[in-house]
Amino acid sequence: MAGVPTTYDDPVHIAVIGGTGLQTLPGFTHAATLTPTTPWGAPSSPLTILHHTPSDSSSRKPTPIAFLSRHGLHHELAPHEVPNRANIAALRKLGVRTIIAFSAVGSLQEEIRPRDFVVPDQIIDRTKGIRPFTFFEGGMVGHVGFGDPFDNQLAAIVRKCGHSLEGEGVRLHDKGTIICMEGPQFSTRAESHMYRSWGGSVINMSALPEAKLAREAEISYQMICMATDYDCWRGEAGEDVNVEMVMGHMKANSENARRFVGAVLDELSKEEHGEQVLAKHLVQQSKWAGSITHKDGRTKEAEDKLKWLFPGYYD
Ligand SMILES: CSC[C@H]1O[C@H](OP(=O)(O)O)[C@H](O)[C@@H]1O
Ligand SMILES: Nc1ncnc2[nH]cnc12
């Protein structure tokens, strides 16, 4: 946008990643547009710095947030083409330590209806290993815990905010297991039934490796899912998923998605969440996770990249 600054000097600790149907985040003040590069390439889209003014207090300063469009500004990146490492690395470098990520999902359960929101707590990986999925490779090994793929404390805040919007058209499910499939084709009916038998709640193509990379980058991460279809498991009881169906529900419910983000940002802007927003509980996790490779065994390339991401960790 003409006249908008291309640099931003204040720290930005919170990011929103928008998915299908959420390429922009209207209703916030546009403070800057950044186009960073990283050792893993450029992110999916420019990082838009938005100012969020908390709705319940005129005295609090606006909170800056970074917005990134996962599939690009015009949805030109397929799920397997999303440069997840560049996205997460660019956000961390900016100072981001908390990410709220949006995703349009298929429902695998009757009670999760189209336009319902789900705050998931688990993921089953059905990607095919073709997406780059770690910062620790090529001469520096690292292993981080992923038992809980989302941040439990952040999830509690997100759930509270979602429930506060109930009665205003928002229906929220507090838990759920995401099946993250490779795509870009949707599932077969046999696969869809199998995922239901595994206990899957919803299905998408984007939770991984985004969530894994956020964990490696010591960023507190929670996905908010919005159901747009019943995939294809209902057979004759309903129409199979198609893009028109997904986009239709996303468009019709985008105002609720925006209000949901606004409520979460209101809450995260409160001083009491300062430590959580900075993900203090994750600090130095990757320093120890990555120190398994002795200095003598490191390649310069791997070390340079990781030193860019984590200055001071591997000196
Ligand atoms: C257009 S339907 C499939 C597409 O929608 C979801 O995108 P996102 O998670 O970025 O909202 C799903 O993961 C697929 O990428
Ligand atoms: N049925 C589905 N399968 C995978 N990703 C989706 N995103 C929205 N609906 C989906």
Side-chain angles (χ1 to χ4, degrees):
M1 205 194 282
V4 175
T6 53
T7 57
Y8 192 79
D9 293 333
D10 288 342
V12 181
H13 301 309
I14 303 173
V16 174
I17 299 182
T20 295
L22 209 74
Q23 269 119 249
T24 57
L25 206 54
F28 298 87
T29 309
H30 190 170
T33 298
L34 314 180
T35 50
T37 53
T38 77
W40 296 273
S44 298
S45 76
L47 305 183
T48 311
I49 309 299
L50 304 170
H51 279 175
H52 169 65
T53 306
S55 60
D56 63 339
S57 157
S58 53
S59 60
R60 272 193 273 155
K61 275 194 358 202
T63 307
I65 61 160
F67 180 81
L68 172 74
S69 176
R70 181 184 291 125
H71 300 283
L73 287 182
H74 312 283
H75 206 121
E76 63 272 25
L77 298 167
H80 63 284
E81 294 170 331
V82 173
N84 287 291
R85 289 190 296 190
N87 289 351
I88 298 297
L91 291 174
R92 178 173 168 108
K93 200 69 179 174
L94 186 64
V96 167
R97 296 294 183 271
T98 292
I99 294 178
I100 303 294
F102 260 86
S103 178
V105 298
S107 168
L108 296 170
Q109 302 297 334
E110 194 74 50
E111 68 273 17
I112 302 177
R113 301 188 228 144
R115 302 191 193 179
D116 283 4
F117 290 93
V118 180
V119 180
D121 60 328
Q122 278 299 330
I123 312 176
I124 293 176
D125 191 354
R126 281 279 297 167
T127 63
K128 300 285 162 85
I130 61 169
R131 309 175 184 191
F133 47 78
T134 181
F135 291 112
F136 294 98
E137 63 176 7
M140 273 188 79
V141 178
H143 302 282
V144 296
F146 202 55
D148 289 311
F150 302 106
D151 187 304
N152 289 333
Q153 292 102 297
L154 180 60
I157 294 171
V158 170
R159 287 181 189 120
K160 187 177 143 197
C161 295
H163 286 303
S164 76
L165 299 172
E166 272 171 347
E168 298 178 55
V170 169
R171 258 173 56 103
L172 180 73
H173 302 266
D174 268 339
K175 276 174 177 286
T177 297
I178 300 179
I179 305 288
C180 183
M181 60 173 297
E182 185 56 56
Q185 302 84 358
F186 291 113
S187 306
T188 65
R189 222 175 300 287
E191 286 165 339
S192 200
H193 285 301
M194 179 179 71
Y195 298 146
R196 278 167 51 75
S197 79
W198 288 356
S201 316
V202 293
I203 182 162
N204 75 3
M205 306 174 189
S206 305
L208 297 175
E210 197 172 86
K212 288 185 174 177
L213 293 163
R215 180 63 52 84
E216 285 188 350
E218 302 178 341
I219 296 175
S220 165
Y221 175 95
Q222 180 63 49
M223 188 163 251
I224 298 177
C225 300
M226 198 190 95
T228 53
D229 57 90
Y230 280 111
D231 200 40
C232 61
W233 57 270
R234 278 165 123 221
E236 284 173 11
E239 198 187 343
D240 288 358
V241 57
N242 58 57
V243 166
E244 204 182 347
M245 193 185 278
V246 172
M247 297 312 278
H249 284 298
M250 277 310 299
K251 193 158 182 230
N253 217 24
S254 64
E255 179 52 22
N256 276 340
R258 205 195 59 75
R259 286 193 311 133
F260 200 154
V261 185
V264 173
L265 295 176
D266 273 357
E267 188 63 26
L268 291 178
S269 305
K270 292 182 181 164
E271 221 171 290
E272 67 196 79
H273 298 305
E275 301 251 303
Q276 172 63 40
V277 163
L278 289 173
K280 291 277 188 192
H281 52 299
L282 298 177
V283 170
Q284 296 227 320
Q285 165 204 267
S286 285
K287 178 173 168 123
W288 307 121
S291 51
I292 191 169
T293 307
H294 190 274
K295 277 188 176 183
D296 295 348
R298 298 177 187 170
T299 62
K300 183 168 176 341
E301 196 194 347
E303 199 178 52
D304 285 351
K305 283 180 166 175
L306 284 168
K307 282 183 170 177
W308 182 93
L309 192 60
F310 302 110
Y313 272 19
Y314 309 114
D315 294 338

